[in-house]
Amino acid sequence: MIITVVGFKGGVGKTTTAINIAAVLAKRNNPQQQPEKYTQTLLVDDDPNHSSIKWAKRGALSFVVCGVGAVAKFSRAAVDTIIDTRGHPDDAALEDYAQGCDVLLLPTTPDILAIEALLDTAKAVNKYIEPLVLLTMVDNRKKSDVDAARSRLADAKLTVLEQTIRRLSVHDKAAQEGSAVADVKGQRAKEAWGEYQRVVSEIMCLCDRKKLAEVKGS
């Protein structure tokens, strides 16, 4: 499976999402965490800032992180590939991303500026693939903001994942340590990890339903 994570507006948790989704898939592909099988999950860093590559260099992730130039080599063994895209991609880049993946994931915070930027992105990719939206950095004390975001996205006929990612300091700690949230100590880390696990499960379930619908329609 190829999952491409696109964030048009900065500060929506694009790289954090890509890293932790890759970690969940790496755990599924290699439950015994055997180093020789780390290549079964690949994260491709297509951001000029190399945020994912820098993250990986600060610690020890259970999957391969590489730049675009090394994709041909590492993709040979990959079961799942996650692409952390460049920020503010133009229409040509969005078309490439949309045509080259199985799942196009759009993380966004619930605020109106981020939602409006996402709607523009969704319009650019909709003719190639139906994107999935993930609400990130959610403050559970502001449920009305989340409800308003869901309503706006529903009006645009976009599929929004039921699972959200809360705004937790453990995400910053994981970035500092160069790890997935699963490898940070503390109860909040376990909670955050559970959220990403449920995100991946939901994505897989939606993909399975789509495949079933395509089979029934053929």
Side-chain angles (χ1 to χ4, degrees), residues 51-97:
S51 299
S52 290
I53 290 174
K54 291 174 182 176
W55 188 314
K57 287 181 177 179
R58 288 193 290 269
L61 296 169
S62 59
F63 51 90
V64 171
V65 179
C66 75
V68 174
V71 170
K73 174 183 176 181
F74 289 111
S75 62
R76 297 170 193 163
V79 175
D80 292 304
T81 299
I82 301 85
I83 302 175
D84 182 10
T85 64
R86 70 193 73 169
H88 309 290
D90 58 23
D91 286 350
L94 285 171
E95 180 179 342
D96 282 345
Y97 290 142

Side-chain angles (χ1 to χ4, degrees), residues 132-166:
L132 300 179
V133 180
L134 172 64
L135 293 174
T136 60
M137 304 175 105
V138 168
D139 186 341
N140 282 349
R141 296 169 299 180
K142 299 179 180 179
K143 186 175 181 298
S144 59
D145 290 352
V146 176
D147 291 341
R150 286 191 181 278
S151 177
R152 184 81 185 274
L153 293 164
D155 288 343
K157 302 189 185 313
L158 290 172
T159 301
V160 185
L161 299 181
E162 289 297 324
Q163 181 62 52
T164 61
I165 302 297
R166 286 175 294 164

